[in-house]
Amino acid sequence: MRLRENTFAKIITLIVLLLIPIILLYTLSMQTSMKVIEEEVHTLQQKDITFLADEFNKSVTTLTSLGFLLSEDIHIQKLQTLHLIESAYERNDERLRIMERLRLLNVSQRWDTQYSILAPANQEFVSTNTYLSYDLEAVKELLAPVWTYQEMVTQNIKQQRFVRHIVKPKSKLIDLDRAGIIVEISFPEEYIIKDLDTFKETGKGDPFLYHLQGETIRNKTSNQEMIANIHQLVGDGVLAPGSRNMPVSIAGKKYLVTFAHISTLDWYLVDYVPIEAMLQPIIKTQMLFYVSVLLLLIMSVLAGYLLYRNVQRPISLLIRNVKRLQEGNYSTRITVNPKNEFSYLFARFNDMAAETERLIEKVYVEELRRREANVKQLQSQINPHFLYNCFALIRSLARLDKKESVMMMSMHLAKYYRYTTRVEKLTATLKEELQLLESYLEIQRFHIQHMNYVIDVPAHMQQLELPRLLLQPIVENAVIHGIEQYDGDGLIMITGQSNHDWHSITVADNGVGMSEKELQKLENELLHVPDDLTGCALWNIKQRMLLQFGPTASLSFAIRKEGGMAVTLSWRQRDEQNQ
């Protein structure tokens, strides 16, 4: 059934058309929401990482300020003149006061910082680390006017620390042996690692510190492979530490990488988070919506199918069987029992079809009898018409004393009437009809010396069934009205063509032909029952064609460009037509 007639298809199409704008609007809304959320996440991530970087800056700035305060403290500067105190007890007591001052400063800070003060002039040394001793050469190797990340050795233990030296006066920075006071401030990387761990626990990132020279300080549970990938992207120029945040793709996944500059240390705080993890709730909501739409579509299709099965299919079945009745198949019956209201309708249809079949069979038998009577009547009209012409020709030949010709014509005439008098069968094969035409044309050649003929019909067509004496009147008209009145060499051409289940026979001549006006008059005469003033041969042929092959059969005429006329019989075999 065509789509426009199918209720099930209409229902599914309507459901899909309703769901499409909903899905499109939801998808557009989700895309807008995800874009807004991504921008918000970028901002929040930048704020978080900037806040941690600011905390680092504050702590380091405080340590730097304390270092400068220590270098300016008058009590600390007494370390330069400590050797001038004669009493050893007083010198030790002064050292203890300086030590206590350093410890008080250390306790007040968030990080456990190591403060060391050197006086190169008298080689005095005070430090919060009691295990350290005066070592100016070591200070010279580690000298850091700004905060640097270096490896320091304490009690034969290597440790990575951030360190800075403040030299008073500043002019002695290049000549430490003559410096008055050298203040060394340092703290280990473990405190930065602790802050990174604390920050990681409150979020979904993996923060670490990165230096442009390639050094990194990672939290304890960091993903070293991811940090190596980010390091590689920075080295390749894909990521620029000076930027705020950038989305990148690593191992097929998208990540948001955020940078914040720790100006006091000249390091960068870096954090990365998977974008999918941030958008996971929205993605889950989106998937839930699509699954719900899919379930709704499935349920709608199921409901449509139930409607189709219980309503559309019975209606379609009824329509198909009504069409079969319309096409003439009166034996059709509906055997399906849908066990609903359609059961009664199908039962009444079967009763109607049975009654119609009974009436049609009765009418059909009567029609066959009437058709057989009409065929015999038409045949009886044609046979005398041809016989009269033959007798006239025999008389002419006898008058000319052409005995051999009379004998030959009599033999052909006998063949013809032996064929035509077989009334037990109203049809014949095309091969038998062509043999009859050959006998007829041979007879006519005795009368018309300038006439010749050609028969070209494919072998596979010669077994087709035709009404008897269907072609002979057409050939007779071509001879009498076309060739007999023609002064030149006359030619009768009988050809056949077959295209699938359609067949045609054409009888053409090169005789005098007809004008357009005469042809139109002839075609109009064939539309009416002939009377005493008009011929009946062509009308009989047309009627027999229609009776034998149905309304698709035709008898057509054409004026040939070469001269003469062409008459074509076209038909479709009834057994092929009914298939």
Side-chain angles (χ1 to χ4, degrees), residues 415-479:
K415 288 183 179 180
Y416 173 77
Y417 271 96
R418 187 180 299 113
Y419 173 75
T420 58
T421 54
R422 292 171 58 187
V423 295
E424 70 278 1
K425 189 177 180 182
L426 299 178
T427 60
T429 63
L430 180 57
K431 182 179 180 180
E432 293 174 336
E433 283 288 296
L434 294 177
Q435 290 175 350
L436 176 68
L437 294 180
E438 188 174 356
S439 297
Y440 172 77
L441 290 172
E442 287 294 334
I443 293 173
Q444 291 293 355
R445 288 183 63 187
F446 286 105
H447 177 65
I448 306 173
Q449 300 295 326
H450 62 278
M451 185 193 75
N452 205 346
Y453 66 90
V454 175
I455 299 176
D456 183 15
V457 178
H460 68 274
M461 287 185 60
Q462 297 187 13
Q463 300 304 318
L464 297 175
E465 292 285 335
L466 295 173
R468 287 179 176 273
L469 296 175
L470 191 68
L471 301 177
Q472 187 272 338
I474 299 175
V475 175
E476 181 178 352
N477 284 339
V479 172

Side-chain angles (χ1 to χ4, degrees), residues 44-58 199 260 269:
L44 293 175
Q45 187 69 15
Q46 187 64 49
K47 287 182 179 179
D48 291 342
I49 204 71
T50 302
F51 174 79
L52 182 58
D54 290 342
E55 288 296 313
F56 286 141
N57 278 323
K58 289 178 182 178
F199 181 81
L269 179 61

Side-chain angles (χ1 to χ4, degrees), residues 108-123:
S108 64
Q109 297 304 309
R110 192 164 61 92
W111 294 338
D112 184 10
T113 309
Q114 176 178 296
Y115 296 95
S116 299
I117 300 175
L118 295 87
N122 54 11
Q123 296 185 352

Side-chain angles (χ1 to χ4, degrees), residues 274-288:
I275 297 178
E276 291 183 0
M278 296 184 293
L279 302 177
Q280 193 64 31
I282 298 180
I283 295 175
K284 287 183 178 179
T285 303
Q286 189 175 18
M287 291 302 299
L288 180 61

Side-chain angles (χ1 to χ4, degrees), residues 196-436:
L196 293 176
D197 291 337
T198 303
F199 181 81
K200 183 174 182 179
E201 291 176 0
T202 60
K204 296 182 179 180
D206 187 18
F208 64 95
L209 263 64
Y210 176 80
H211 195 268
L212 293 179
Q213 294 180 357
E215 295 177 300
T216 58
I217 300 176
R218 302 183 292 270
N219 61 79
K220 293 180 180 179
T221 59
S222 62
N223 187 334
Q224 297 184 8
E225 183 179 355
M226 283 296 301
I227 294 176
N229 289 330
I230 294 175
H231 183 276
Q232 181 66 35
L233 291 176
V234 173
D236 294 341
V238 177
L239 286 173
S243 61
R244 295 174 61 84
N245 50 42
M246 291 183 62
V248 295
S249 179
I250 300 175
K253 293 184 179 180
K254 290 185 177 180
Y255 294 87
L256 178 64
V257 181
T258 308
F259 294 90
H261 188 220
I262 305 174
S263 57
T264 55
L265 300 178
D266 197 22
W267 281 60
Y268 287 91
L269 179 61
V270 186
D271 191 17
Y272 66 91
V273 289
I275 297 178
E276 291 183 0
M278 296 184 293
L279 302 177
Q280 193 64 31
I282 298 180
I283 295 175
K284 287 183 178 179
T285 303
Q286 189 175 18
M287 291 302 299
L288 180 61
F289 172 78
Y290 288 135
V291 171
S292 301
V293 170
L294 180 61
L295 291 176
L296 178 62
L297 179 60
I298 292 174
M299 293 177 65
S300 302
V301 171
L302 180 60
Y305 173 74
L306 293 176
L307 179 64
Y308 168 75
R309 180 178 180 182
N310 293 283
V311 178
Q312 181 65 24
R313 284 179 60 182
I315 293 176
S316 301
L317 183 61
L318 185 61
I319 291 175
R320 285 198 301 270
N321 284 275
V322 169
K323 287 184 177 180
R324 290 175 183 173
L325 284 179
Q326 186 179 4
E327 293 171 356
N329 185 7
Y330 300 103
S331 62
T332 183
R333 299 291 185 274
I334 300 177
T335 59
V336 177
N337 184 13
K339 297 181 180 180
N340 54 27
E341 293 81 358
F342 285 96
S343 298
Y344 175 80
L345 188 60
F346 288 172
R348 299 291 74 79
F349 174 84
N350 290 337
D351 295 341
M352 180 191 69
E355 182 65 18
T356 302
E357 184 180 17
R358 186 184 66 80
L359 294 175
I360 291 297
E361 287 180 354
K362 181 178 179 181
V363 174
Y364 183 68
V365 171
E366 293 179 357
E367 178 66 20
L368 288 178
R369 292 175 180 174
R370 185 186 66 80
R371 184 176 295 182
E372 184 177 355
N374 289 340
V375 170
K376 289 183 178 180
Q377 179 184 2
L378 293 172
Q379 196 173 27
S380 65
Q381 293 176 357
I382 292 176
N383 290 342
H385 181 78
F386 175 67
L387 183 60
Y388 297 153
N389 292 334
C390 289
F391 282 155
L393 182 58
I394 290 173
R395 187 180 68 175
S396 299
L397 291 173
R399 185 184 302 163
L400 296 173
D401 196 24
K402 295 183 178 181
K403 296 180 180 180
E404 292 295 330
S405 298
V406 171
M407 292 176 60
M408 290 295 295
M409 190 177 69
S410 298
M411 181 187 69
H412 287 297
L413 187 61
K415 288 183 179 180
Y416 173 77
Y417 271 96
R418 187 180 299 113
Y419 173 75
T420 58
T421 54
R422 292 171 58 187
V423 295
E424 70 278 1
K425 189 177 180 182
L426 299 178
T427 60
T429 63
L430 180 57
K431 182 179 180 180
E432 293 174 336
E433 283 288 296
L434 294 177
Q435 290 175 350
L436 176 68

